[in-house]
Amino acid sequence: MKYNVIKFLRDIFPFLTVIVLWRLAVPFWNPAGILAIIPIFYCSFVRPVPWFAPFAILFCFLIDYRFDTLVYWTAAYCLFYAINGFQNFIDLTRADNNARNVFMVFFGTATLILTLIGFNINNAMRAIWLFAWISTLYVPISELIKRVCDDR
C-alpha cells in the first residue's frame, strides 16, 4: 500500500510541478506562469513522461492565454517536439546537465523572436532578464524532478 502511494506521487509529480509553477504567476518573477516551461521541456524531451505531451500542449496554450500571445509558446513547443522527433543525432535523455544548453537554445530563440516582433528597449531588457532567470532556475527545477521521480 505504501509503495503504491509513493509510486503514484512520483508519477504525478511532473504534472503537479507544471500546475504549481503556472499558478504561481507573479509579474516580475514568473510572468504568465512561464516557469512552467521548464518542467514542460524537461518532462517532454529530457526525461519523457508517458502522456505528458498533450498535457504540455495544454499548458503551453494556457501560458499563451496569460501572455496574450495567441498560440506562440504552443507553436514553439510543437515545432521543437517535431524537430526532436525527426532528428536522431542528439539524444537529449543522455545530455549533460539535464540538457540545459538545449533548453537555453529553445527558450532563447523563442524569446528572441518574441522580442523582435515588438521591439523596444523595455521589451529587450525584460527578455534578457527572463532568459537569465529561467536559465538559472532550469537546473534546480529539473534536478528536483529527476530526484523525486527516480525509481530506485
Side-chain angles (χ1 to χ4, degrees):
M1 177 70 177
K2 180 181 173 185
Y3 177 73
N4 291 338
V5 172
I6 291 172
K7 183 181 179 328
F8 175 74
L9 291 175
R10 283 182 177 162
D11 290 343
I12 67 166
F13 187 75
F15 298 94
L16 290 177
T17 305
V18 171
I19 293 169
V20 167
L21 288 174
W22 181 74
R23 289 289 296 158
L24 291 176
V26 179
F28 184 73
W29 299 105
N30 187 12
I34 193 67
L35 283 178
I37 207 78
I38 295 171
I40 287 171
F41 180 88
Y42 182 74
C43 295
S44 293
F45 304 115
V46 181
R47 187 186 181 278
V49 174
W51 294 99
F52 197 80
F55 182 78
I57 290 171
L58 171 67
F59 270 88
C60 285
F61 180 76
L62 292 174
I63 291 169
D64 282 326
Y65 177 74
R66 280 195 175 167
F67 254 130
D68 289 332
T69 54
L70 218 49
V71 290
Y72 181 76
W73 289 104
T74 307
Y77 171 80
C78 289
L79 178 67
F80 195 81
Y81 194 85
I83 291 170
N84 186 51
F86 285 122
Q87 64 86 23
N88 57 3
F89 299 109
I90 301 171
D91 185 11
L92 294 180
T93 59
R94 297 171 200 229
D96 294 337
N97 219 0
N98 294 335
R100 180 179 180 204
N101 294 337
V102 178
F103 173 76
M104 290 171 64
V105 168
F106 163 71
F107 189 75
T109 304
T111 306
L112 178 66
I113 292 169
L114 196 58
T115 303
L116 292 177
I117 289 172
F119 185 79
N120 63 35
I121 295 300
N122 191 22
N123 285 346
M125 296 305 287
R126 187 174 297 126
I128 291 169
W129 158 250
L130 197 59
F131 177 75
W133 178 242
I134 291 181
S135 296
T136 302
L137 289 179
Y138 179 77
V139 171
I141 292 172
S142 62
E143 279 295 321
L144 177 68
I145 294 169
K146 184 163 98 176
R147 290 176 191 239
V148 168
C149 297
D150 193 12
D151 293 334
R152 284 191 254 167

